[in-house]
Amino acid sequence: MRTQVGIIGAGPAGLLLSHLLHLRGIDSVVLEIRSREYCEGRVRAGVLEQGTVDILTEAGVADRLHREGLVHHGIELRYGGKGHRIAFERLVPGRAITVYGQQEVVKDLFEARFAAGGTIHFEVPDVELHDIDTDHPSITFQGQRLECDFIAGCDGFHGVSRKSIPEGALTIYERTYPFAWLGVLAKVPPSTEELIYAYTEDGFALHSMRGPEISRLYLQVPPDASLDEWPDDRIWAELKRRLETIPDWELTTGPIIERGITPMRSFVAEPMRYGRLFLAGDAAHIVPPTGAKGLNLAAADVRMLAEAISHWYATGSDELLDRYSDACLKRIWRAQHFSWWMTTLLHTFDTDDAYGRRLQRSYLDYVTSSEAAATTLAENYVGVPFERFGTFGG
């Protein structure tokens, strides 16, 4: 088989890249180890930056997003018995976030790719990459060989793409955190109109949503926590204890329909290119979910990669391909810092560290009382504009 771009992974990064290339007249084949049902059903991120919404809109895959997505113009920081709203409409006018589940983005992209005649192979085991340091890379799977001009590794942190790069060719930056997130999806109307980030000395909690009848909630738990230790009653009791900390506010409870524990890590692999293999999304970088940046970084990566590849086909020049990694990493490191900052600001690290807790409380007071500090949080949360971080000229 032959295509122009072989894409490993049918998550939002791989599918969006395939569609952006299609819009530029460039063929691609997507290989995915899981089934389509798995890809469409896996509940992950749900907060889209303004720039991500713009990318999806320009790509023609955002009609349902605009109908069903929940546009938010602020978030609440809750601590010390009070709620403090970070008002995006005042601090960063014209920019907002949209709550719309990653699985919904994936469904929209599948529909667009199949409507355009896109080629996606599901349940493909034993994928191997070959000759990635030459002008003629290829991918083998199920006894077949796919020849291509470029390979895009969009297959996540545990995928084959990054592992195919020779040892020593990448520099790894990594940090792990001494806690995890227990996340639940509950069939219950949200108790709030905007996301609540709650800091307590007993641990962090987050109240989010996935629609008018579905709530998404998170608890900080020990890194070795097991779901068996957290029956429904205990989950709701702990959520109420951490969220019901302001007068006259009550958490609505109901059936939990999905749950999982997510480890917290920060990770960056540099550079995001080896020969004709280009990494994008979680294959190249991971952020703790506190800053809601994972899906948004993946979309920014493939936006840049589609531009670089189309430039090569149009001109024969390697200029943008050579600049891809450095251009992406500017935005990635800004998001890394913001995610680390939000994580260290809102989580309990050591129950015996009274000094550290006082520092956290001091900075929370500063963020919620200073226009400059609140603007910094708001600008990073809705996403730094692409003209500042996210162009080849920036």
Side-chain angles (χ1 to χ4, degrees):
M1 294 188 294
R2 170 76 191 169
T3 191
Q4 291 173 291
V5 182
I7 300 174
I8 314 297
L15 294 172
L16 180 57
L17 175 61
S18 180
H19 195 63
L20 293 175
L21 292 173
H22 162 73
L23 295 174
R24 293 163 169 81
I26 299 169
D27 293 330
S28 66
V29 171
V30 180
L31 305 177
E32 169 57 47
I33 192 172
R34 303 284 191 173
S35 68
R36 178 177 179 178
E37 291 72 23
Y38 178 90
C39 296
E40 291 183 339
R42 188 181 186 191
V43 177
R44 295 287 300 277
V47 174
L48 305 184
E49 293 178 353
Q50 182 68 56
T52 302
V53 173
D54 293 344
I55 293 170
L56 296 170
T57 302
E58 292 165 8
V61 294
D63 289 350
R64 192 163 67 94
L65 185 159
H66 288 296
R67 290 196 309 270
E68 300 178 11
L70 307 176
V71 179
H72 288 191
H73 296 279
I75 60 172
E76 179 184 327
L77 299 182
R78 183 173 292 187
Y79 69 97
K82 295 181 180 179
H84 306 264
R85 185 170 184 265
I86 305 298
F88 301 155
E89 74 274 13
R90 178 173 56 83
L91 299 167
V92 283
R95 300 181 69 78
I97 60 167
T98 300
V99 176
Y100 189 71
Q102 173 175 310
Q103 73 276 17
E104 304 306 323
V105 174
V106 167
K107 292 174 187 176
D108 295 340
L109 287 166
F110 273 136
E111 182 177 347
R113 294 308 303 124
F114 287 124
T119 301
I120 304 174
H121 295 275
F122 295 100
E123 299 181 85
V124 177
D126 304 322
V127 172
E128 294 185 8
L129 281 55
H130 308 274
D131 302 319
I132 57 177
D133 57 346
T134 75
D135 294 342
H136 304 284
S138 63
I139 307 167
T140 56
F141 63 100
Q142 294 179 317
Q144 303 181 71
R145 180 177 294 273
L146 175 65
E147 298 178 348
C148 42
D149 297 321
F150 303 100
I151 299 175
C154 305
D155 49 346
F157 183 79
H158 298 289
V160 68
S161 296
R162 191 181 67 252
K163 297 175 183 177
S164 300
I165 297 175
E167 185 175 354
L170 297 177
T171 300
I172 303 298
Y173 302 91
E174 189 169 16
R175 173 163 295 179
T176 57
Y177 297 87
F179 40 76
W181 272 16
L182 168 60
V184 301
L185 202 64
K187 193 173 183 179
V188 58
S191 307
T192 175
E193 294 183 355
E194 296 179 337
L195 277 71
I196 299 172
Y197 285 77
Y199 167 82
T200 76
E201 293 194 359
D202 295 316
F204 167 80
L206 171 62
H207 188 312
S208 183
M209 62 286 295
R210 289 297 181 269
E213 301 297 328
I214 300 293
S215 297
R216 183 72 163 154
L217 304 113
Y218 297 93
L219 283 169
Q220 175 185 344
V221 296
D224 57 353
S226 166
L227 290 176
D228 293 338
E229 303 169 338
W230 287 90
D232 291 11
D233 289 348
R234 184 184 180 190
I235 291 172
W236 286 120
E238 193 62 26
L239 283 167
K240 289 172 73 70
R241 191 158 71 94
R242 298 186 195 182
L243 287 167
E244 291 181 349
T245 56
I246 64 174
D248 303 319
W249 191 93
E250 185 175 350
L251 178 67
T252 305
T253 64
I256 293 176
I257 56 180
E258 186 170 315
R259 72 194 71 210
I261 293 178
T262 303
M264 303 282 277
R265 67 161 64 90
S266 299
F267 176 92
V268 180
E270 295 187 14
M272 295 166 59
R273 175 191 183 182
Y274 181 80
R276 288 291 183 92
L277 169 63
F278 294 82
L279 303 178
D282 287 0
H285 46 77
I286 297 285
V287 289
T290 324
K293 294 302 173 202
L295 172 57
N296 296 293
L297 285 178
D301 288 350
V302 298
R303 171 183 175 272
M304 300 282 281
L305 185 53
E307 182 179 349
I309 291 174
S310 62
H311 179 77
W312 185 87
Y313 281 111
T315 68
S317 170
D318 288 339
E319 179 189 2
L320 297 191
L321 295 172
D322 291 341
R323 293 165 58 189
Y324 164 74
S325 181
D326 288 343
C328 287
L329 285 166
K330 290 180 181 180
R331 188 175 198 85
I332 289 162
W333 278 110
R334 173 85 304 273
Q336 287 283 337
H337 179 268
F338 177 68
S339 300
W340 165 86
W341 177 76
M342 286 282 284
T343 301
T344 55
L345 180 66
L346 294 166
H347 289 75
T348 302
F349 280 78
D350 186 342
T351 55
D352 295 326
D353 184 11
Y355 179 82
R357 293 199 302 274
R358 294 294 288 172
L359 288 179
Q360 287 175 302
R361 180 61 181 267
S362 172
Y363 209 97
L364 282 165
D365 288 341
Y366 177 56
V367 167
T368 55
S369 63
S370 164
E371 187 90 351
T375 300
T376 295
L377 192 160
E379 181 181 52
N380 281 273
Y381 198 91
V382 302
V384 178
F386 286 126
E387 53 265 30
R388 197 177 320 161
F389 293 112
T391 66
F392 286 105

